Amino acid sequence: MSATTASRRAFLGVGGALAGVFALNQAPAAQAASKTTAAPTPYRVITPGSEQYEDLLQGTNLRWKGTAQRIAFPRTAAETAEELRTVLALGLRPSARSGGHCYENFVANGDNQAIIDTSAMDQVRWDPEMKAFEVGAGAQLGLVYQLLYKQWGVYAPAGNCPTVAAGGHIAGGGYGSMNRRDGLVVDHLLAVEAVHVRADGTVAISRGTRDPRDPHHDLWWSYTGGGGGNFGIATRYWLRSPSASGDQPEKALPAPPRHVWLSTVAWDWAGIDEAAFTRLLSNHGRWHETNSAPGTSEATLFAQLKTWHRSNGSITMDTIIDAGTPDAAGILERYLAAVADGIPAPKVLQHRLVPWLQATQWSGFTGPDSTRRFKGKSAYLRRSYTPEAIAAAYRGLNDPSISNPTALLMIASYGGAVNDTAPAATAVPQRDSIIKFQVVSIWDNPEDDNANVAWTRTTYKNMFASTGGVPLPNADADGAFINYADVDLNDQAWNTSGQSSFELYYKSNLPRLKRARSTYDPKGVFSHAQSIPLA
């Protein structure tokens, strides 16, 4: 096996290589017999008669279950193109799926009749021709971190949930705990390969790169935050930092921290009244206003403040910082003190030094249990929370109409190196925000759907009541995050701002994204409730 190749199928690759060497030494008759048995196995297709069928109609959010007649698992772009031709010839409406973590029913719905699932394309390897790391669209982030670090000592600054796959995560401009230190993962995207349908109905495979002279440069740009299900099916990404030079894989992406400090603190809700809650959020927002400049030591700190519904009994905050930062322990200590200033002191649940690779599996940031149901609504903030938002959040978190200990505001640090990139350089336009958060409810039973969805909608709407119920881009807020898809933004019952969901997600980048969609999916073959409109 090549030292620059790593994937879960690496052993099979070695077996194939050895078999090829062995065949060269066989007698001609044996070689002929070998050739007759070497036909490639077809990729897997699941239909209603298959044992796995019912399970595979659903993704992570168990609110949604589709009715697809065909679920295919191609292993290459060529097989993806073959499957797409088959689906179109059968007159079926296709949808693409990578990790299945969509917040809404963009894949699992009654309209999509065929799912093209990229999970079999999970390779992570060095491509010497591209001088970049090739990552399959189905590769889960936990695997990507493991293989990049173990083989080459590098990493990609992507998300925290290890079961999220690269396909949708990268396409939507996903973020994670190292973004304040090293930027978004799309800031390190060199190229993308996608299968799409031309205006004449033929299926094509195109590769777009960061090079503005590339005729498919707009394809690359669209996959730096334009969202999944808009331009075709991403099959492969290549990652290489813009500042990288030479052809050594160890220098193509950033090195992660050697160790990180992890911290979890908790406040008892019993000691938090409205004044204390207001002080907590004001302290938190003020620290981020002061400490989110790119390149600063404080920008190596990331936190999630989780203000759970009062029925949970507590409010928690998980924090991570690169231990190699000068005075890292001091920065963390001062951050915790600043957030807790003037309110009851929190309990320290953990404070420990951990190797970075192990920290990628830390439960503090790994996302919701994948056997549950959830609804989320997002916002970017340019400044601290408004008094209107704090008051509405307090009311929602103390709302007696639900008793759900896993309803919360999940508030994440943002800014830092993310804000060192121009808004039009990638499809992610929010490049001067300091906080990204979501109002989210997580629950188990279908009979609780209405109450939890209503709570999430109402709390969010009240937080932004003066701007039409949404985080209208202004001095305080900066729109919403496409990877936390929210169809309510299309609904005037919940959005009276006068701006569409597309304007809230993409802002001034929307016209270019419309043109790209018209180029790479001009027939609207891939469509969902928030597909970018054709130009």
Side-chain angles (χ1 to χ4, degrees):
M1 180 174 69
S2 166
T4 59
T5 299
S7 81
R8 284 184 289 190
R9 294 186 296 277
F11 178 74
L12 296 177
V14 171
L18 292 176
V21 173
F22 180 69
L24 292 176
N25 296 304
Q26 291 178 350
Q31 291 186 41
S34 177
K35 289 180 181 179
T36 62
T37 60
T41 57
Y43 57 87
R44 182 73 169 157
V45 176
I46 303 298
T47 59
S50 304
E51 184 176 345
Q52 308 104 300
Y53 173 72
E54 287 292 328
D55 286 348
L56 296 179
L57 291 175
Q58 293 185 274
T60 298
N61 191 345
L62 295 188
R63 288 176 65 201
W64 313 119
K65 185 173 183 177
T67 59
Q69 302 170 32
R70 184 181 176 94
I71 307 171
F73 297 87
R75 299 160 296 191
T76 64
E79 289 185 351
T80 303
E82 177 186 342
E83 175 62 17
L84 183 53
R85 291 186 192 100
T86 299
V87 166
L88 296 177
L90 292 171
L92 303 178
R93 175 174 165 173
S95 181
R97 181 173 69 191
S98 54
H101 286 72
C102 189
Y103 273 47
E104 298 286 2
N105 65 338
F106 292 174
V107 175
N109 62 55
D111 294 329
N112 292 331
Q113 300 156 312
I115 296 172
I116 301 177
D117 189 302
T118 66
S119 58
M121 291 179 275
D122 63 351
Q123 72 276 11
V124 178
R125 58 188 172 220
W126 175 250
D127 183 334
E129 292 185 5
M130 295 288 286
K131 298 181 181 179
F133 289 100
E134 177 191 322
V135 176
Q140 295 185 355
L141 298 182
L143 172 72
V144 174
Y145 293 141
Q146 292 273 334
L147 296 180
L148 287 179
Y149 187 68
K150 288 179 177 180
Q151 297 290 316
W152 301 284
V154 299
Y155 91 118
N160 298 313
C161 183
T163 60
V164 166
H169 179 75
I170 294 176
Y175 76 108
S177 59
M178 289 291 121
N179 291 152
R180 284 167 53 91
R181 176 185 185 264
D182 289 319
L184 297 174
V185 65
V186 296
D187 300 336
H188 301 264
L189 181 65
L190 174 68
V192 61
E193 173 187 78
V195 177
H196 59 99
V197 181
R198 300 187 184 100
D200 63 3
T202 58
V203 174
I205 301 172
S206 297
R207 181 185 299 184
T209 71
R210 185 190 293 148
D211 186 346
R213 298 166 298 179
D214 184 340
H216 291 296
H217 178 65
D218 272 0
L219 180 67
W220 166 85
W221 185 85
S222 299
Y223 274 96
T224 63
N230 283 308
F231 314 102
I233 304 173
T235 52
R236 290 189 287 179
Y237 295 105
W238 285 266
L239 298 174
R240 178 184 174 90
S241 300
S243 60
S245 60
D247 56 5
Q248 296 303 307
E250 294 82 2
K251 302 295 183 182
L253 285 172
R258 290 285 304 278
H259 293 82
V260 294
W261 283 103
L262 301 181
S263 166
T264 302
V265 301
W267 291 266
D268 288 336
W269 255 118
I272 302 292
D273 58 12
E274 186 167 7
F277 182 83
T278 300
R279 183 67 178 262
L280 171 64
L281 261 65
S282 298
N283 290 345
H284 181 267
R286 189 178 307 113
W287 187 91
H288 284 83
E289 284 183 348
T290 307
N291 296 286
S292 294
T296 60
S297 295
E298 288 76 11
T300 65
L301 181 148
F302 172 91
Q304 279 186 355
L305 175 60
K306 302 180 178 88
T307 60
W308 305 95
H309 190 271
R310 185 175 284 272
S311 59
N312 181 287
S314 64
I315 294 170
T316 58
M317 186 167 68
D318 296 303
T319 309
I320 186 171
I321 185 170
D322 176 358
T325 300
D327 192 29
I331 292 170
L332 175 57
E333 182 179 354
R334 290 189 292 275
Y335 168 71
L336 296 173
V339 174
D341 182 49
I343 63 174
K347 293 180 290 187
V348 178
L349 303 184
Q350 63 175 311
H351 181 88
R352 55 199 175 104
L353 188 67
V354 177
W356 173 81
L357 187 60
Q358 283 67 30
T360 62
Q361 303 290 320
W362 185 40
S363 61
F365 296 145
T366 54
D369 180 345
S370 60
T371 66
R372 310 194 74 183
R373 311 164 79 83
F374 59 91
K375 169 68 177 177
K377 300 171 72 66
S378 68
Y380 290 91
L381 297 184
R382 284 173 157 154
R383 296 194 306 203
S384 184
Y385 321 90
T386 64
E388 173 184 67
I390 294 175
Y394 184 80
R395 291 196 306 274
L397 295 168
N398 289 271
D399 184 351
S401 70
I402 68 165
S403 181
N404 181 356
T406 48
L408 74 155
L409 266 68
M410 186 179 292
I411 306 169
S413 303
Y414 208 63
V418 174
N419 294 347
D420 216 13
T421 296
T426 67
V428 178
Q430 291 89 359
R431 294 291 187 165
D432 62 357
S433 295
I434 58 170
I435 289 168
K436 181 189 285 188
F437 78 85
Q438 56 180 320
V439 180
V440 60
S441 190
I442 306 165
W443 66 98
D444 296 315
N445 300 315
E447 56 267 29
D448 296 328
D449 284 4
N450 290 341
N452 282 279
V453 171
W455 177 85
T456 307
R457 286 171 166 169
T458 301
T459 301
Y460 181 86
K461 181 178 181 179
N462 290 342
M463 290 183 70
F464 300 104
S466 63
T467 54
V470 298
L472 193 69
N474 57 25
D476 299 309
D478 204 20
F481 178 40
I482 182 57
N483 271 4
Y484 295 160
D486 176 16
V487 296
D488 297 341
L489 298 178
N490 297 351
D491 188 343
Q492 289 189 358
W494 303 105
N495 176 9
T496 60
S497 70
Q499 288 203 5
S500 69
S501 62
F502 310 110
E503 293 167 305
L504 294 169
Y505 290 141
Y506 307 121
K507 299 174 58 183
S508 60
N509 286 338
L510 179 59
R512 185 176 177 184
L513 287 168
K514 286 183 176 180
R515 293 193 297 271
R517 175 126 200 263
S518 297
T519 298
Y520 292 100
D521 189 20
K523 298 174 73 68
V525 169
F526 296 94
S527 296
H528 55 71
Q530 288 187 327
S531 293
I532 293 170
L534 296 168

